[in-house]
Amino acid sequence: MKFLLSALLAGSAVAFAPSSSSHRASTDLHETSEDLATLAKKCNPLLGFFDPLNLAEQSFWDTTPEATIGFLRESEIKHGRIAMFAFVGYIVHANGIHFPWAMQLDGTPFPEVSNAPEAWDSISDAAKWQIFGFIGFLEVWREVNGKHYMSGGKPGEFPAFDASVIPGGALNLYDPFGWHKNRSEEAKANGLVKEINNGRLAMIGILGFLSEGKVQGSVPLLKGIIPPYSGEPMAPFSESIFPHF
């Protein structure tokens, strides 16, 4: 599951490239700080809008506050989704649940571990590069297809795969089975609020798991539940890809 945590911290370089378009179409979605305050009340009526660093008023990379808000909204939704995968994956691996077939083509089986990060450590670096390559493909596909989230596109909406380019293109990440295409806009908005809240909680949860595993007692509620982990949760590969100085 460590690659999922790494994915929380690493994004494709193209994600930071602002759009050069300055024209707004009538279907563009340009959210303001007022829109964020409204959404914050829906997500957490008690806390409300919380922006101590005043990020909603910033202009990243010489763009506009609206474009910056689009970037921040996309980042939170994406990180929340990955954290939900990581949180569930941690629990699955920690309970020794895995596929019945071999983990790798050379016949290497899935490891029997009680600590989820150890499962990631057992994967060969060659296999890890394949995983990161697939993540990179998804990042690039998101950035170059559809209306960009910094240019009025909808944050968190993953563009459909083109069946003429990608075999099986009908199975899209955003709605692979077509369950949501007929939902009302109100239902979709309520679902987004739930997704944001679940994602935020999952980000706290997975970091709590990793913290307790690395520093026993750092999360009192998890003491004695999360086994110790002697590895490095922030290192995706067995050997650093950076030069040794």
Side-chain angles (χ1 to χ4, degrees), residues 21 23 31-32 35 38 61 84 86 88 95 107 128 139 144 150 189 197 200 202 205 208 231 242:
S21 175
H23 299 286
E31 294 179 299
T32 65
D35 295 320
T38 300
W61 309 290
M84 286 187 278
V88 174
N95 285 276
K128 293 175 182 177
E139 285 287 299
V144 302
M150 293 182 70
N197 284 334
R200 289 171 177 174
F242 299 105

PDB file of all heavy atoms in Angstrom, residues 21 23 31-32 35 38 61 84 86 88 95 107 128 139 144 150 189 197 200 202 205 208 231 242:
ATOM      1  N   SER A  21      -5.720  29.211 -21.953  1.00  0.00           N
ATOM      2  CA  SER A  21      -6.981  29.780 -22.426  1.00  0.00           C
ATOM      3  C   SER A  21      -7.501  30.824 -21.462  1.00  0.00           C
ATOM      4  O   SER A  21      -7.507  30.641 -20.265  1.00  0.00           O
ATOM      5  CB  SER A  21      -8.025  28.668 -22.591  1.00  0.00           C
ATOM      6  OG  SER A  21      -9.269  29.228 -22.930  1.00  0.00           O
ATOM      7  N   HIS A  23     -10.587  32.382 -22.246  1.00  0.00           N
ATOM      8  CA  HIS A  23     -11.998  32.572 -22.571  1.00  0.00           C
ATOM      9  C   HIS A  23     -12.852  31.637 -21.735  1.00  0.00           C
ATOM     10  O   HIS A  23     -12.500  30.491 -21.494  1.00  0.00           O
ATOM     11  CB  HIS A  23     -12.229  32.298 -24.057  1.00  0.00           C
ATOM     12  CG  HIS A  23     -11.455  33.223 -24.949  1.00  0.00           C
ATOM     13  ND1 HIS A  23     -11.793  34.537 -25.130  1.00  0.00           N
ATOM     14  CD2 HIS A  23     -10.339  33.014 -25.693  1.00  0.00           C
ATOM     15  CE1 HIS A  23     -10.933  35.103 -25.954  1.00  0.00           C
ATOM     16  NE2 HIS A  23     -10.041  34.213 -26.310  1.00  0.00           N
ATOM     17  N   GLU A  31     -15.281  28.241  -9.698  1.00  0.00           N
ATOM     18  CA  GLU A  31     -15.704  28.404  -8.313  1.00  0.00           C
ATOM     19  C   GLU A  31     -14.930  29.535  -7.642  1.00  0.00           C
ATOM     20  O   GLU A  31     -13.756  29.767  -7.925  1.00  0.00           O
ATOM     21  CB  GLU A  31     -15.504  27.093  -7.548  1.00  0.00           C
ATOM     22  CG  GLU A  31     -16.407  25.972  -8.036  1.00  0.00           C
ATOM     23  CD  GLU A  31     -16.182  24.685  -7.272  1.00  0.00           C
ATOM     24  OE1 GLU A  31     -15.055  24.167  -7.313  1.00  0.00           O
ATOM     25  OE2 GLU A  31     -17.133  24.192  -6.644  1.00  0.00           O
ATOM     26  N   THR A  32     -15.585  30.211  -6.735  1.00  0.00           N
ATOM     27  CA  THR A  32     -14.985  31.304  -5.980  1.00  0.00           C
ATOM     28  C   THR A  32     -14.884  30.908  -4.509  1.00  0.00           C
ATOM     29  O   THR A  32     -15.373  29.844  -4.104  1.00  0.00           O
ATOM     30  CB  THR A  32     -15.835  32.575  -6.115  1.00  0.00           C
ATOM     31  OG1 THR A  32     -17.119  32.348  -5.497  1.00  0.00           O
ATOM     32  CG2 THR A  32     -16.032  32.935  -7.588  1.00  0.00           C
ATOM     33  N   ASP A  35     -18.201  30.135  -3.123  1.00  0.00           N
ATOM     34  CA  ASP A  35     -18.670  28.782  -3.427  1.00  0.00           C
ATOM     35  C   ASP A  35     -18.041  27.771  -2.467  1.00  0.00           C
ATOM     36  O   ASP A  35     -18.700  26.818  -2.029  1.00  0.00           O
ATOM     37  CB  ASP A  35     -18.311  28.402  -4.869  1.00  0.00           C
ATOM     38  CG  ASP A  35     -19.034  29.260  -5.885  1.00  0.00           C
ATOM     39  OD1 ASP A  35     -20.219  29.558  -5.665  1.00  0.00           O
ATOM     40  OD2 ASP A  35     -18.405  29.645  -6.892  1.00  0.00           O
ATOM     41  N   THR A  38     -19.824  27.891   0.831  1.00  0.00           N
ATOM     42  CA  THR A  38     -21.106  27.179   0.760  1.00  0.00           C
ATOM     43  C   THR A  38     -20.891  25.677   0.833  1.00  0.00           C
ATOM     44  O   THR A  38     -21.605  24.963   1.561  1.00  0.00           O
ATOM     45  CB  THR A  38     -21.836  27.539  -0.545  1.00  0.00           C
ATOM     46  OG1 THR A  38     -22.064  28.948  -0.580  1.00  0.00           O
ATOM     47  CG2 THR A  38     -23.156  26.800  -0.636  1.00  0.00           C
ATOM     48  N   TRP A  61       0.904  30.146  -9.949  1.00  0.00           N
ATOM     49  CA  TRP A  61       1.506  30.173 -11.282  1.00  0.00           C
ATOM     50  C   TRP A  61       0.937  31.284 -12.159  1.00  0.00           C
ATOM     51  O   TRP A  61       0.698  31.093 -13.360  1.00  0.00           O
ATOM     52  CB  TRP A  61       1.329  28.800 -11.968  1.00  0.00           C
ATOM     53  CG  TRP A  61       1.790  27.688 -11.093  1.00  0.00           C
ATOM     54  CD1 TRP A  61       3.072  27.388 -10.747  1.00  0.00           C
ATOM     55  CD2 TRP A  61       0.962  26.742 -10.382  1.00  0.00           C
ATOM     56  NE1 TRP A  61       3.100  26.318  -9.878  1.00  0.00           N
ATOM     57  CE2 TRP A  61       1.828  25.895  -9.642  1.00  0.00           C
ATOM     58  CE3 TRP A  61      -0.412  26.523 -10.325  1.00  0.00           C
ATOM     59  CZ2 TRP A  61       1.359  24.855  -8.842  1.00  0.00           C
ATOM     60  CZ3 TRP A  61      -0.889  25.490  -9.529  1.00  0.00           C
ATOM     61  CH2 TRP A  61      -0.007  24.675  -8.807  1.00  0.00           C
ATOM     62  N   MET A  84      -8.692   6.699   0.436  1.00  0.00           N
ATOM     63  CA  MET A  84      -9.719   5.685   0.707  1.00  0.00           C
ATOM     64  C   MET A  84      -9.254   4.311   0.237  1.00  0.00           C
ATOM     65  O   MET A  84      -9.450   3.302   0.927  1.00  0.00           O
ATOM     66  CB  MET A  84     -11.045   6.084   0.043  1.00  0.00           C
ATOM     67  CG  MET A  84     -11.766   7.221   0.769  1.00  0.00           C
ATOM     68  SD  MET A  84     -13.423   7.560   0.117  1.00  0.00           S
ATOM     69  CE  MET A  84     -13.037   8.603  -1.286  1.00  0.00           C
ATOM     70  N   ALA A  86      -6.123   3.430   0.032  1.00  0.00           N
ATOM     71  CA  ALA A  86      -5.036   3.059   0.942  1.00  0.00           C
ATOM     72  C   ALA A  86      -5.567   2.561   2.278  1.00  0.00           C
ATOM     73  O   ALA A  86      -5.067   1.573   2.831  1.00  0.00           O
ATOM     74  CB  ALA A  86      -4.108   4.262   1.157  1.00  0.00           C
ATOM     75  N   VAL A  88      -8.541   1.187   3.029  1.00  0.00           N
ATOM     76  CA  VAL A  88      -9.128  -0.150   2.892  1.00  0.00           C
ATOM     77  C   VAL A  88      -8.048  -1.179   2.590  1.00  0.00           C
ATOM     78  O   VAL A  88      -8.044  -2.291   3.145  1.00  0.00           O
ATOM     79  CB  VAL A  88     -10.201  -0.147   1.786  1.00  0.00           C
ATOM     80  CG1 VAL A  88     -10.720  -1.560   1.528  1.00  0.00           C
ATOM     81  CG2 VAL A  88     -11.354   0.767   2.163  1.00  0.00           C
ATOM     82  N   ASN A  95      -4.896  -8.078   7.470  1.00  0.00           N
ATOM     83  CA  ASN A  95      -5.638  -9.283   7.850  1.00  0.00           C
ATOM     84  C   ASN A  95      -5.281 -10.487   6.981  1.00  0.00           C
ATOM     85  O   ASN A  95      -5.967 -11.515   7.018  1.00  0.00           O
ATOM     86  CB  ASN A  95      -7.143  -9.016   7.773  1.00  0.00           C
ATOM     87  CG  ASN A  95      -7.641  -8.176   8.936  1.00  0.00           C
ATOM     88  OD1 ASN A  95      -7.931  -8.683  10.009  1.00  0.00           O
ATOM     89  ND2 ASN A  95      -7.739  -6.862   8.730  1.00  0.00           N
ATOM     90  N   GLY A 107       6.224 -16.295 -10.468  1.00  0.00           N
ATOM     91  CA  GLY A 107       5.684 -17.236  -9.497  1.00  0.00           C
ATOM     92  C   GLY A 107       5.784 -16.788  -8.060  1.00  0.00           C
ATOM     93  O   GLY A 107       5.339 -17.498  -7.153  1.00  0.00           O
ATOM     94  N   LYS A 128       7.044  -2.435  -9.213  1.00  0.00           N
ATOM     95  CA  LYS A 128       6.657  -1.117  -8.724  1.00  0.00           C
ATOM     96  C   LYS A 128       6.698  -0.077  -9.837  1.00  0.00           C
ATOM     97  O   LYS A 128       5.833   0.800  -9.921  1.00  0.00           O
ATOM     98  CB  LYS A 128       7.573  -0.702  -7.574  1.00  0.00           C
ATOM     99  CG  LYS A 128       7.411  -1.545  -6.317  1.00  0.00           C
ATOM    100  CD  LYS A 128       8.432  -1.148  -5.266  1.00  0.00           C
ATOM    101  CE  LYS A 128       8.308  -2.027  -4.022  1.00  0.00           C
ATOM    102  NZ  LYS A 128       9.345  -1.706  -3.012  1.00  0.00           N
ATOM    103  N   GLU A 139      -2.548  10.019 -14.861  1.00  0.00           N
ATOM    104  CA  GLU A 139      -2.336  11.451 -14.628  1.00  0.00           C
ATOM    105  C   GLU A 139      -2.330  12.230 -15.941  1.00  0.00           C
ATOM    106  O   GLU A 139      -2.985  13.269 -16.073  1.00  0.00           O
ATOM    107  CB  GLU A 139      -1.014  11.662 -13.885  1.00  0.00           C
ATOM    108  CG  GLU A 139      -1.048  11.304 -12.414  1.00  0.00           C
ATOM    109  CD  GLU A 139      -1.827  12.336 -11.620  1.00  0.00           C
ATOM    110  OE1 GLU A 139      -1.426  13.518 -11.608  1.00  0.00           O
ATOM    111  OE2 GLU A 139      -2.854  11.966 -11.043  1.00  0.00           O
ATOM    112  N   VAL A 144      -4.812  15.949 -20.161  1.00  0.00           N
ATOM    113  CA  VAL A 144      -4.883  16.357 -21.570  1.00  0.00           C
ATOM    114  C   VAL A 144      -6.241  16.105 -22.205  1.00  0.00           C
ATOM    115  O   VAL A 144      -6.445  16.470 -23.364  1.00  0.00           O
ATOM    116  CB  VAL A 144      -3.783  15.637 -22.393  1.00  0.00           C
ATOM    117  CG1 VAL A 144      -2.408  15.942 -21.843  1.00  0.00           C
ATOM    118  CG2 VAL A 144      -4.015  14.125 -22.425  1.00  0.00           C
ATOM    119  N   MET A 150      -8.551  23.651 -14.064  1.00  0.00           N
ATOM    120  CA  MET A 150      -8.127  25.030 -13.823  1.00  0.00           C
ATOM    121  C   MET A 150      -8.698  25.988 -14.862  1.00  0.00           C
ATOM    122  O   MET A 150      -8.458  27.195 -14.789  1.00  0.00           O
ATOM    123  CB  MET A 150      -6.596  25.124 -13.801  1.00  0.00           C
ATOM    124  CG  MET A 150      -5.953  24.418 -12.617  1.00  0.00           C
ATOM    125  SD  MET A 150      -4.145  24.590 -12.573  1.00  0.00           S
ATOM    126  CE  MET A 150      -3.977  26.342 -12.158  1.00  0.00           C
ATOM    127  N   ALA A 189     -24.536  15.974  -6.340  1.00  0.00           N
ATOM    128  CA  ALA A 189     -23.942  16.954  -5.421  1.00  0.00           C
ATOM    129  C   ALA A 189     -23.857  16.390  -4.009  1.00  0.00           C
ATOM    130  O   ALA A 189     -22.841  16.580  -3.321  1.00  0.00           O
ATOM    131  CB  ALA A 189     -24.767  18.239  -5.433  1.00  0.00           C
ATOM    132  N   ASN A 197     -15.978  14.198   2.442  1.00  0.00           N
ATOM    133  CA  ASN A 197     -15.860  13.892   3.870  1.00  0.00           C
ATOM    134  C   ASN A 197     -15.171  12.554   4.112  1.00  0.00           C
ATOM    135  O   ASN A 197     -14.310  12.425   4.992  1.00  0.00           O
ATOM    136  CB  ASN A 197     -17.243  13.892   4.523  1.00  0.00           C
ATOM    137  CG  ASN A 197     -17.781  15.292   4.757  1.00  0.00           C
ATOM    138  OD1 ASN A 197     -17.014  16.250   4.887  1.00  0.00           O
ATOM    139  ND2 ASN A 197     -19.091  15.429   4.795  1.00  0.00           N
ATOM    140  N   ARG A 200     -11.432  12.948   3.352  1.00  0.00           N
ATOM    141  CA  ARG A 200     -10.708  13.653   4.415  1.00  0.00           C
ATOM    142  C   ARG A 200     -10.451  12.728   5.600  1.00  0.00           C
ATOM    143  O   ARG A 200      -9.353  12.709   6.170  1.00  0.00           O
ATOM    144  CB  ARG A 200     -11.516  14.878   4.861  1.00  0.00           C
ATOM    145  CG  ARG A 200     -11.562  15.997   3.833  1.00  0.00           C
ATOM    146  CD  ARG A 200     -12.538  17.095   4.229  1.00  0.00           C
ATOM    147  NE  ARG A 200     -12.525  18.200   3.269  1.00  0.00           N
ATOM    148  CZ  ARG A 200     -13.351  19.236   3.308  1.00  0.00           C
ATOM    149  NH1 ARG A 200     -14.285  19.296   4.261  1.00  0.00           N
ATOM    150  NH2 ARG A 200     -13.279  20.199   2.401  1.00  0.00           N
ATOM    151  N   ALA A 202     -10.316   9.478   5.509  1.00  0.00           N
ATOM    152  CA  ALA A 202      -9.376   8.436   5.095  1.00  0.00           C
ATOM    153  C   ALA A 202      -7.943   8.941   5.115  1.00  0.00           C
ATOM    154  O   ALA A 202      -7.019   8.188   5.470  1.00  0.00           O
ATOM    155  CB  ALA A 202      -9.732   7.928   3.695  1.00  0.00           C
ATOM    156  N   GLY A 205      -6.947   8.783   8.578  1.00  0.00           N
ATOM    157  CA  GLY A 205      -6.858   7.397   9.007  1.00  0.00           C
ATOM    158  C   GLY A 205      -5.600   6.697   8.540  1.00  0.00           C
ATOM    159  O   GLY A 205      -4.910   6.042   9.331  1.00  0.00           O
ATOM    160  N   GLY A 208      -2.628   7.928  10.288  1.00  0.00           N
ATOM    161  CA  GLY A 208      -2.631   7.409  11.655  1.00  0.00           C
ATOM    162  C   GLY A 208      -2.091   5.993  11.710  1.00  0.00           C
ATOM    163  O   GLY A 208      -1.307   5.642  12.599  1.00  0.00           O
ATOM    164  N   GLY A 231      10.448  -0.611   8.514  1.00  0.00           N
ATOM    165  CA  GLY A 231      10.874  -0.078   7.227  1.00  0.00           C
ATOM    166  C   GLY A 231      10.679   1.424   7.133  1.00  0.00           C
ATOM    167  O   GLY A 231      10.471   2.118   8.135  1.00  0.00           O
ATOM    168  N   PHE A 242      17.494   8.504  -6.005  1.00  0.00           N
ATOM    169  CA  PHE A 242      18.293   9.712  -5.991  1.00  0.00           C
ATOM    170  C   PHE A 242      19.768   9.371  -5.747  1.00  0.00           C
ATOM    171  O   PHE A 242      20.074   8.384  -5.072  1.00  0.00           O
ATOM    172  CB  PHE A 242      17.800  10.685  -4.929  1.00  0.00           C
ATOM    173  CG  PHE A 242      16.388  11.136  -5.135  1.00  0.00           C
ATOM    174  CD1 PHE A 242      15.352  10.643  -4.346  1.00  0.00           C
ATOM    175  CD2 PHE A 242      16.083  12.042  -6.139  1.00  0.00           C
ATOM    176  CE1 PHE A 242      14.045  11.042  -4.533  1.00  0.00           C
ATOM    177  CE2 PHE A 242      14.771  12.446  -6.351  1.00  0.00           C
ATOM    178  CZ  PHE A 242      13.756  11.957  -5.551  1.00  0.00           C
TER     179      PHE A 242
END
